[in-house]
Amino acid sequence: MKAINVYFTALLLMTVVVSCQRDTYESELESKLNLFLKNEKVDYEYVIIIPGSGCTGCITNAENYFLSNVGNNKIKFVFTNNFSKKQLFIKLKKTNLQRSNIFIDNDNYFYLRDYDKSIYPYRAKVINKEIVEVTML
Amino acid sequence: MKIKLLLCSVVFIALLSSCNNGNKVINEDRNKYESKCKLIEFKKKEFKIDEQTTYLTEYIQYVDKDSIDYLVFVNKYNNSVYYYNYSNCRFVKKMTFEKEGNNGVYTMQAFMDINKDSFFVYSYDTKILNLFDNNHKLVKKYNFYKIPEKGNWTMINPCPYIQTATPIKKIGDKIVCMGFVSGETSQETNTNRPVCVVYDLKSNKIQSTLNYPIQYSKYNWAGGFTYRMPYYDVVNRDLIVSFAASHNLIRYNIDTGKSEEFYAGSSNIKEISSYPQRKDSRIDEDAAWRWYMTNASYENIMYDKYRKVYYRIARLPEKDYNSTEKGNKKPIVIIILDSNLKYLGETALPTDANWATCNSFVSREGLNIQVLTDNEDVISFKTFKIEKL
């Protein structure tokens, strides 16, 4: 009886620990972004990561957000996992994508393929070149 | 005690109804027919495209009305239609349409030329079909969404969505196209959710017609493009319609409104499973895509008037599906049917190419299927011909 109690208590504790753990997608994205920001000369306030495929509606909203805010130099836009670079250039205009606050992630460095969340656009809040918060856009 | 028993029963029933494991549409006629022919690839065609055009266009049509056979496609980003000479793959002309103003059409989705004097441009944003004259002047607008009539609010009329495999067609005085409204509702019956829009140009009347097969109102199909979008082709005054969750094809006559079913399944498909959730429940986009990728389905139906056969595309479940892979890698099988929709055989496409079966069409030379390569400045097709076994 005692052994069963210990077993259940351990199981309960493990469940609590696992459920309280921070989501690894956000933390991995955060560490990659922190490394990336170290080499950036500009103090950005936000980094927006927009994947090329995944949640279609969410990506369209993120692209519209990009088109409205591309002139804001406090925001860094990262385009990752693009099926067609040419389509991206046609859709969002080459002149927009050649601005200094744009990064086209050809090597898919920010595309974390092991996580289902990689299909959604994300926003990272930055203070003094350090990520302080990562949330879905 | 009784209350406890009642509570337990309620919980048990609730659990049972929430764990709907889905239902299966069994391919009962599988392997009943002998294979008499197969498809073989014999040619590759490449059409050079300009800087403003992507090879991922959604609307390509083969036009053989004049002495020249054309490949025509739509570029929605610059609201233009491009004409190429199909035989030598050379660019012929480009027509651009305004988005706003007196001749504005918003973003164009599809195009159809009727004759040298007039052509239609369809916009999904407005659900309007715009008729232009040969001076590029907008002559008339036709509303292609039919609002349900008063007192008939349970009708779910289709929103026309026009793609290569679901084109807009003119049959005499009638314009035909297909579409749907996304979602899964328990209010759906086998008569209140039509997929076809028929616009009579003479009477200016719009009609929503042709319902989904019975399994659609009975089970959940995740409400999106993967299983809800119908595919069709026109033969005389009949529409031959392919539904993703049906092993059969439907032949629908636009004059009589009568429909018949014909078996046109793949011997590689045993069954199609419905989405394992009750209708009316929220559908998770990732889960629905995973279900589609690991489930069998049917797509395009194309009539080959030159060889008097039909081609139907079937997609098999992807065994090693990984949620982060790009595009749709479900194995592809093409079923060949004779002019009476009788099974003639089927061919699996090689798995080492990146096929875009959504852009397939029949030409004088054979069946053309788009293949995506690393070169984004060309639209490439592989052409197949039939070989007897």
Side-chain angles (χ1 to χ4, degrees):
Chain A
M1 192 64 187
K2 230 179 183 181
I4 294 171
N5 275 345
V6 170
Y7 172 76
F8 274 111
T9 313
L11 195 73
L12 189 72
L13 266 172
M14 270 167 70
T15 315
V16 169
V17 167
V18 168
S19 61
C20 290
Q21 228 175 28
R22 224 180 133 205
D23 199 295
T24 43
Y25 175 76
E26 279 86 349
S27 54
E28 198 168 324
L29 190 63
E30 182 180 319
S31 54
K32 283 199 165 206
L33 283 170
N34 277 330
L35 274 175
F36 174 72
L37 289 173
K38 272 185 186 168
N39 300 318
E40 289 288 316
K41 286 172 190 162
V42 181
D43 268 335
Y44 291 107
E45 287 175 3
Y46 288 98
V47 183
I48 310 288
I49 294 104
I50 306 175
S53 61
C55 173
T56 333
C58 323
I59 294 168
T60 306
N61 287 343
E63 286 170 348
N64 289 335
Y65 179 82
F66 163 76
L67 290 171
S68 317
N69 293 281
V70 63
N72 185 342
N73 289 325
K74 290 285 175 190
I75 306 175
K76 182 91 182 174
F77 290 94
V78 174
F79 291 90
T80 188
N81 193 33
N82 289 295
F83 189 86
S84 161
K85 199 174 168 185
K86 189 175 180 187
Q87 189 186 37
L88 185 72
F89 274 60
I90 293 167
K91 200 164 37 165
L92 302 178
K93 299 257 165 25
K94 206 171 179 176
T95 45
N96 284 335
L97 294 165
Q98 282 170 334
R99 293 175 64 96
S100 57
N101 61 329
I102 311 300
F103 177 67
I104 296 173
D105 181 19
N106 292 322
D107 300 327
N108 288 341
Y109 175 72
F110 290 107
Y111 181 62
L112 309 177
R113 61 178 66 248
D114 293 336
Y115 300 94
D116 283 348
K117 285 183 176 179
S118 60
I119 64 165
Y120 298 105
Y122 263 76
R123 170 177 44 207
K125 194 175 179 186
V126 190
I127 296 176
N128 296 330
K129 291 194 175 189
E130 281 285 327
I131 303 292
V132 291
E133 189 187 28
V134 179
T135 51
M136 218 177 264
L137 186 67
Chain B
M1 189 62 189
K2 269 184 183 172
I3 294 168
K4 263 189 177 175
L5 193 71
L6 187 72
L7 273 174
C8 282
S9 313
V10 168
V11 171
F12 185 68
I13 291 166
L15 276 173
L16 265 186
S17 56
S18 65
C19 299
N20 181 348
N21 286 324
N23 291 279
K24 294 180 188 329
V25 182
I26 310 291
N27 185 357
E28 281 163 0
D29 290 334
R30 195 167 82 99
N31 293 330
K32 275 190 185 168
Y33 302 94
E34 190 195 342
S35 275
K36 292 175 185 162
C37 62
K38 64 173 184 176
L39 287 170
I40 52 162
E41 182 191 322
F42 74 104
K43 212 173 198 180
K44 190 177 178 186
K45 291 190 87 86
E46 286 192 339
F47 298 84
K48 269 194 180 178
I49 52 176
D50 65 16
E51 259 196 350
Q52 301 168 306
T53 309
T54 159
Y55 65 176
L56 301 170
T57 175
E58 282 180 33
Y59 199 68
I60 295 179
Q61 295 295 303
Y62 175 78
V63 181
D64 67 348
K65 278 179 192 162
D66 303 327
S67 54
I68 302 172
D69 294 348
Y70 293 105
L71 183 83
V72 184
F73 64 81
V74 167
N75 178 345
K76 67 177 179 184
Y77 299 109
N78 63 3
N79 250 27
S80 301
V81 184
Y82 289 71
Y83 281 77
Y84 282 74
N85 180 322
Y86 175 79
S87 306
N88 60 24
C89 300
R90 286 203 186 126
F91 170 73
V92 178
K93 65 175 175 178
K94 173 181 158 189
M95 290 161 74
T96 302
F97 297 89
E98 290 164 33
K99 285 195 176 183
E100 287 163 13
N102 291 340
N103 287 316
V105 295
Y106 289 87
T107 303
M108 68 183 296
Q109 187 181 42
F111 174 87
M112 175 172 62
D113 62 353
I114 307 160
N115 50 45
K116 281 175 185 166
D117 298 325
S118 49
F119 41 87
F120 283 115
V121 172
Y122 177 73
S123 166
Y124 178 75
D125 297 345
T126 57
K127 317 286 181 288
I128 283 174
L129 186 70
N130 304 275
L131 175 65
F132 282 83
D133 65 14
N134 59 344
N135 296 317
H136 271 228
K137 200 179 159 202
L138 182 55
V139 179
K140 199 168 177 179
K141 290 179 177 220
Y142 301 91
N143 186 355
F144 261 63
Y145 177 66
K146 190 184 177 191
I147 298 165
E149 283 147 19
K150 263 190 181 175
N152 203 3
W153 298 116
T154 53
M155 274 303 285
I156 309 163
N157 285 337
C159 282
Y161 195 90
I162 300 168
Q163 304 167 100
T164 307
T166 315
I168 185 159
K169 294 273 188 181
K170 186 171 180 291
I171 310 169
D173 289 323
K174 289 174 179 172
I175 304 279
V176 178
C177 53
M178 299 267 175
F180 72 104
V181 173
S182 59
E184 293 290 335
T185 166
S186 54
Q187 301 291 308
E188 180 181 352
T189 66
N190 56 345
T191 56
N192 72 352
R193 197 172 175 179
V195 294
C196 178
V197 174
V198 179
Y199 197 107
D200 192 320
L201 296 171
K202 260 191 175 173
S203 62
N204 272 326
K205 279 188 179 159
I206 183 170
Q207 187 197 358
S208 297
T209 182
L210 182 60
N211 283 275
Y212 284 106
I214 190 82
Q215 57 266 38
Y216 279 85
S217 54
K218 281 167 85 176
Y219 315 134
N220 187 337
W221 296 98
F225 272 95
T226 52
Y227 282 87
R228 282 285 174 184
M229 188 73 209
Y231 300 88
Y232 84 109
D233 204 350
V234 174
V235 181
N236 302 321
R237 296 184 74 80
D238 290 330
L239 311 181
I240 313 296
V241 189
S242 169
F243 288 97
S246 176
H247 303 289
N248 298 345
L249 288 172
I250 291 175
R251 185 163 71 189
Y252 175 82
N253 186 282
I254 60 155
D255 300 320
T256 63
K258 282 186 180 166
S259 58
E260 292 169 272
E261 280 196 46
F262 295 84
Y263 173 72
S266 163
S267 59
N268 288 281
I269 298 179
K270 278 187 199 166
E271 61 196 21
I272 304 169
S273 306
S274 67
Y275 190 62
Q277 249 186 32
R278 282 177 298 115
K279 280 179 183 266
D280 301 319
S281 52
R282 196 190 76 82
I283 290 164
D284 179 272
E285 211 170 313
D286 298 346
W289 183 251
R290 176 176 292 278
W291 159 76
Y292 162 72
M293 291 300 289
T294 52
N295 199 11
S297 54
Y298 293 96
E299 293 179 355
N300 322 28
I301 177 76
M302 293 161 279
Y303 181 60
D304 183 340
K305 65 180 180 184
Y306 308 101
R307 285 153 284 268
K308 307 254 184 293
V309 292
Y310 290 88
Y311 309 106
R312 189 187 195 195
I313 292 177
R315 305 293 297 240
L316 311 182
E318 191 186 340
K319 281 178 190 156
D320 304 314
Y321 172 67
N322 166 1
S323 66
T324 53
E325 72 189 24
K326 283 184 196 175
N328 183 348
K329 289 181 182 157
K330 280 171 78 169
I332 302 155
V333 165
I334 298 169
I335 305 155
I336 312 160
L337 306 152
D338 72 11
S339 57
N340 297 313
L341 294 165
K342 295 244 162 59
Y343 183 91
L344 287 178
E346 59 190 275
T347 302
L349 291 190
T351 50
D352 56 353
N354 193 357
W355 302 101
T357 49
C358 52
N359 283 333
S360 308
F361 63 91
V362 172
S363 70
R364 220 175 280 277
E365 294 177 354
L367 172 65
N368 299 259
I369 303 173
Q370 190 184 6
V371 61
L372 305 177
T373 66
D374 290 339
N375 186 354
E376 292 195 40
D377 295 322
V378 292
I379 295 183
S380 310
F381 297 93
K382 288 196 174 171
T383 312
F384 294 81
K385 64 179 178 185
I386 298 172
E387 197 178 76
K388 281 188 182 168
L389 290 174

